[in-house]
Amino acid sequence: MIGTNIYISQETQESLIKAAALKEISVEELASSLLRESIQEKFGQISYSSEKQGKFSINPLGKMQPYAYLADPNEPVISADDWEMNQNFEVNDL
């Protein structure tokens, strides 16, 4: 956990104290949860909980879908004409 000092206006302080009293939680706990939610909204869905963080870094491609391969698996990737052209080129080089 990182401790930090932040500046908030007197009006915001009073609102935070009132909201914490209504929720029956500490001002620090309310401020921490508000800050955590705001950071997640601003910078994306990043997990800040140490219990959720694994030994390895998060895979940035984890939620992406792979592209669809639309070719026919029975059809050759290289056309017969291109294949013959490449074969002739290699033979002529020798």
Side-chain angles (χ1 to χ4, degrees), residues 25-90:
I25 59 175
S26 71
V27 173
E28 292 82 5
E29 187 177 351
L30 179 60
S32 293
S33 68
L34 291 172
L35 187 58
R36 183 175 43 254
E37 291 170 11
S38 296
I39 290 172
Q40 288 176 347
E41 285 178 18
K42 186 75 172 177
F43 298 110
Q45 299 298 323
I46 301 170
S47 175
Y48 291 101
S49 173
S50 60
E51 63 193 30
K52 290 183 182 179
Q53 290 179 350
K55 183 178 178 182
F56 302 103
S57 63
I58 296 172
N59 182 355
L61 304 177
K63 294 184 179 181
M64 295 181 71
Q65 295 294 322
Y67 66 91
Y69 184 71
L70 302 176
D72 181 4
N74 296 322
E75 184 180 312
V77 176
I78 300 174
S79 71
D81 293 336
D82 289 341
W83 179 257
E84 288 177 15
M85 183 175 65
N86 287 334
Q87 293 299 323
N88 290 336
F89 182 73
E90 291 175 5

